[in-house]
């Protein structure tokens, strides 16, 4: 690797000033909760002020039209048909909507992989307990090629029994990019519906949802697209829309999807209505520019932290490729290998190093997942690399 290739990217001028993050804390976990730019915070607060100035007017005059307008803007950004898109609170909510709309019966099965998000797995288990269906998990090695991954999934599907396949487009615990279009094509050949959990995709990667061809696709806009928290999009293919039922019935029930899913009476709709401002802020910075900076900085952070732990480039996982704004660093054996240990270590890093990171176990090993966003700088990863080895040694 050349010296130039190992250097971090140049910061985007002024980008750090767009956020209200505590300067006393190093924030290296954008992937978990996102961070809302100040301009978006203000737009949302104006909407809340409007609501409280006249609740009757806000909720009864044109609210569904305003939601539909926001939905159209966001769906266009995602490359999805607005009439096939519903706004929901987060990706996990969208998954729950799909699961309870399937009409599962005893003997049916829902298939996912061991790279899935924990709350989604729990949602699947709950729906299977309620209906008598079976949850089945496929094991996918972290180092599997795309071709091997697709074949693992093909071999694990059972036409006639498998009623839904759930795959992540970007996995949360392993920062792996799945070839979802190829997976959907295989499942379609077998007549099996696919739900793509794309919680991390909007904003991080360019996407044209309708070209993927999944029966269901759900992604958060509050992680990498600068929307207020509680903003996600559930995209449903035409053949399923009439079967989608909301988790809670409200006054738009008779109007069907997407309004029956979106309208939940006195819900705080300010996040959805302000979400287009987040996408506008991203576009103002330059979408490609932001993505390139984040991906380059995440790769730099992985290199320097990995090197500090004695890990060379050959052993650092790169399952997402050069476009990912999240990267993994394996922890020493026995460190953070259980969820309680990982949570305790995460809190220790926060309290001792004033640094917020994501630490979690996966397949019996602890992993550090580093995120990068335009408010981050290379020296933040350098400081973590300098302090982390001693902290881990003391924690063992």
């Amino acid at each position: 690797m050349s010296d130039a290739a190992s250097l971090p990217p140049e910061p985007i001028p002024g980008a750090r000033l767009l956020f209200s993050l505590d300067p006393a804390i190093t924030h290296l976990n954008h992937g978990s909760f996102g961070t809302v730019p100040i301009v978006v915070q203000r737009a949302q607060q104006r909407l809340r002020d409007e609501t409280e100035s006249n609740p009757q007017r806000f909720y009864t005059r044109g609210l569904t039209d305003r939601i539909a307008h926001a939905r159209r803007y966001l769906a266009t950004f995602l490359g999805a048909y607005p009439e096939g898109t519903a706004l929901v609170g987060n990706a996990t909510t969208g998954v729950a909507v799909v699961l309870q709309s399937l009409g599962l019966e005893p003997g049916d099965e829902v298939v996912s992989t061991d790279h899935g998000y924990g709350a989604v797995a729990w949602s699947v288990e709950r729906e299977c307990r309620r209906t008598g269906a079976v949850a089945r998990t496929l094991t996918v090695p972290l180092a599997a090629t795309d071709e091997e991954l697709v074949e693992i999934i093909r071999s694990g599907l059972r036409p006639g029994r498998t009623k839904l396949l759930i795959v992540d487009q970007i996995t949360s615990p392993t920062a792996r990019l799945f070839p979802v279009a190829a997976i959907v094509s295989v499942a379609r050949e077998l007549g099996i519906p696919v739900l793509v959990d794309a919680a991390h995709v909007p904003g991080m990667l360019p996407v044209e949802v309708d070209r993927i061809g999944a029966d269901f696709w759900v992604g958060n806009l509050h992680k990498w697209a600068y929307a207020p928290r509680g903003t996600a999009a559930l995209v449903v293919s035409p053949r399923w829309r009439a079967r989608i039922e909301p988790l809670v019935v409200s006054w738009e029930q008779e109007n069907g999807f997407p309004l029956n899913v979106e309208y939940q009476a006195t819900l705080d709709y300010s996040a959805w209505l302000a979400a287009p401002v987040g996408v506008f802020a991203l576009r103002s910075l330059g979408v490609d520019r932001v993505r390139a900076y984040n991906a380059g900085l995440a790769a730099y952070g992985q290199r320097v932290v990995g090197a500090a732990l004695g890990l060379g480039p050959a052993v650092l996982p790169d399952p997402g490729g050069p476009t990912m704004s999240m990267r993994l660093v394996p922890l020493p054996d026995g460190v953070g290998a259980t969820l309680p240990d990982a949570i305790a270590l995460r809190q220790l890093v926060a309290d001792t190093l004033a640094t917020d990171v994501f630490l979690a176990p996966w397949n019996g090993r602890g992993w550090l997942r580093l995120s990068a966003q335009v408010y981050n700088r290379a020296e933040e990863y350098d400081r973590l690399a300098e302090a982390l080895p001693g902290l881990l040694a003391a924690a063992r």
Side-chain angles (χ1 to χ4, degrees):
M1 180 182 295
S2 68
D3 291 341
S6 65
L7 294 175
E10 287 294 323
I12 299 174
R16 199 169 193 173
L17 301 176
L18 300 178
F19 301 87
S20 57
L21 289 164
D22 183 351
I25 305 296
T26 299
H27 304 270
L28 302 181
N29 186 23
H30 186 91
S32 284
F33 305 106
T35 305
V36 185
I38 295 170
V39 64
V40 184
Q41 295 177 39
R42 291 175 176 170
Q44 184 178 19
Q45 188 57 52
R46 287 194 296 271
L47 287 158
R48 286 172 171 156
D49 292 342
E50 178 191 346
T51 305
E52 298 310 322
S53 69
N54 192 333
Q56 170 89 7
R57 181 182 183 88
F58 180 85
Y59 282 102
T60 64
R61 294 193 184 184
L63 176 58
T64 55
D65 290 338
R66 294 173 74 176
I67 295 171
H69 178 74
R71 183 206 315 135
R72 283 193 294 271
Y73 185 91
L74 298 172
T76 300
F77 174 69
L78 298 172
Y81 288 113
E83 62 271 23
T85 303
L87 299 180
V88 292
N90 53 44
T92 311
T93 301
V95 170
V97 169
V98 171
L99 286 171
Q100 69 120 35
S101 299
L102 286 175
L104 293 173
E105 298 178 348
D108 293 342
E109 64 178 21
V110 178
V111 174
S112 55
T113 79
D114 59 347
H115 294 252
Y117 188 59
V120 169
W122 288 340
S123 186
V124 170
E125 290 173 7
R126 185 185 69 172
E127 189 65 16
C128 287
R129 284 197 306 270
R130 190 181 70 83
T131 62
V134 176
R136 196 157 54 83
T137 303
L138 305 178
T139 299
V140 177
L142 187 60
T145 66
D146 284 355
E147 292 76 14
E148 290 169 341
L149 192 159
V150 171
E151 187 53 39
I152 288 169
I153 291 176
R154 181 197 299 273
S155 300
L157 299 177
R158 298 189 282 198
R161 292 190 60 183
T162 305
K163 300 301 181 181
L164 182 68
L165 168 65
I166 302 177
V167 291
D168 296 66
Q169 192 163 353
I170 298 175
T171 65
S172 177
T174 56
R176 166 79 197 238
L177 181 64
F178 273 31
V180 290
I183 294 170
V184 168
S185 178
V186 165
R188 184 184 296 115
E189 292 173 5
L190 301 175
I192 295 171
V194 181
L195 164 59
V196 174
D197 181 351
H200 286 275
V201 170
M204 187 194 294
L205 299 180
V207 62
E208 292 186 67
V209 174
D210 289 330
R211 288 181 176 268
I212 294 172
D215 299 82
F216 315 99
W217 183 99
V218 61
N220 292 324
L221 288 117
H222 55 243
K223 290 183 181 288
W224 301 93
Y226 298 162
R229 290 173 198 87
T231 307
L234 170 63
V235 183
V236 179
S237 66
R239 74 187 187 98
W240 286 97
R241 291 171 195 167
R243 295 175 56 178
I244 293 295
E245 291 288 349
L247 299 178
V248 179
V249 173
S250 195
W251 286 104
E252 292 294 332
Q253 176 68 11
E254 295 304 311
N255 288 321
F257 186 87
L259 283 175
N260 65 341
V261 169
E262 291 175 333
Y263 190 78
Q264 298 290 309
T266 51
L267 187 73
D268 182 356
Y269 298 97
S270 62
W272 298 354
L273 299 181
V277 181
V279 175
F280 179 79
L282 177 60
R283 285 174 164 157
S284 297
L285 285 172
V287 178
D288 292 339
R289 189 184 189 189
V290 168
R291 288 171 176 158
Y293 178 80
N294 292 348
L297 189 58
Y300 174 82
Q302 183 193 45
R303 284 198 302 273
V304 297
V305 174
L309 296 178
L311 304 173
V315 299
L316 289 173
D318 184 22
T323 61
M324 300 294 288
S325 301
M326 301 188 300
R327 293 285 184 129
L328 284 185
V329 177
L331 298 177
D333 290 342
V335 175
T338 68
L339 184 57
D341 287 348
I343 292 173
L345 181 57
R346 183 183 69 203
Q347 293 171 346
L348 181 64
V349 172
D351 295 341
T352 306
L353 306 182
T355 300
D356 287 335
V357 295
F358 178 86
L359 288 156
W362 185 76
N363 277 10
R365 182 164 193 167
W367 299 85
L368 167 66
R369 190 190 73 193
L370 294 172
S371 297
Q373 187 48 266
V374 294
Y375 52 75
N376 292 126
R377 297 291 183 270
E379 55 266 26
E380 296 174 325
Y381 303 89
D382 293 335
R383 289 196 298 268
L384 178 63
E386 182 179 358
L388 188 60
L391 187 67
L392 295 181
R396 295 184 72 172

